[in-house]
Structure formats: structure tokens, C-alpha cells
Amino acid sequence: MVDPATAEKLHLAKETLAVVESELAGVDSLLATPEDALEHLDEVLKKPDENLAIQRQSIFLDWANVLQDNRLESGGHEIVMAELALSAELRRYGIFVMFSID
């Protein structure tokens, strides 16, 4: 006999799988051909402000490369990052890091 808690988790997993498969079928129909995918990409690229969020972040390290709370007065390094997120629904991140070695 199956434990009730396990049965509930299994039922929830099956429901979630059904929802994901339904969403995937919808995406497959939107991007069925290479032409459809290219048209979708063209629409995304035409409106980057609706599909791409960019946020600048900086972290500061002292001379021993220990993370600091604020900008260093002297000595140490600043690491500047640009965090990119593709649309609120997709949430894929890319981080670009820039730092100088003196």
C-alpha cells in the first residue's frame, strides 16, 4: 500500500507534468517551422525593452580578495557585472564580468 503523503506527491507531480506538457505543445505549435521560429525571434528583437532586462551590479574585494560591503577607499578590486534576464516568464540569466588586473 502507498503512503498517503507519497500518493499526494505523485498526484501533484502528475498534474504538474500535464501542465508542462500542455504548455510545451502550445510552444511547439507556435514554433513548428524554422520560419515560425525566425518570425518569433524577429518579434523579440524588435522589442528588446519588453523581453530583456539588464541590471548593473558591482562587488568589491579588498587586497586579500575578501568581499566588502561598499566601495574600497584604496587597494582592492571592483568587479562589475551586467545581469541579463530574458522576459519575466523565461528567467534565463547571463552574467558578464569585467575587472582589471593591475
Side-chain angles (χ1 to χ4, degrees):
M1 183 167 176
V2 178
D3 175 36
T6 304
E8 179 65 27
K9 288 179 183 178
L10 179 61
H11 178 69
L12 180 62
K14 286 181 179 181
E15 285 181 349
T16 303
L17 179 61
V19 168
V20 169
E21 286 177 341
S22 172
E23 290 175 356
L24 185 58
V27 170
D28 282 346
S29 67
L30 289 174
L31 305 174
T33 66
E35 290 81 12
D36 293 338
L38 188 58
E39 183 177 325
H40 177 73
L41 178 61
D42 186 48
E43 289 299 316
V44 168
L45 293 176
K46 284 181 181 176
K47 302 173 189 169
D49 55 326
E50 293 178 11
N51 298 295
L52 180 66
I54 301 174
Q55 180 178 354
R56 179 186 167 126
Q57 297 181 358
S58 294
I59 60 172
F60 304 98
L61 304 175
D62 68 7
W63 62 271
N65 288 333
V66 175
L67 187 62
Q68 300 296 306
D69 291 336
N70 54 19
R71 180 174 286 282
L72 300 169
E73 295 300 321
S74 63
H77 305 281
E78 176 182 14
I79 298 177
V80 180
M81 299 172 280
E83 177 182 346
L84 308 175
L86 293 173
S87 76
E89 302 86 37
L90 187 57
R91 298 321 259 173
R92 297 292 188 260
Y93 291 95
I95 298 198
F96 300 102
V97 178
M98 180 182 71
F99 59 93
S100 63
I101 300 175
D102 295 333

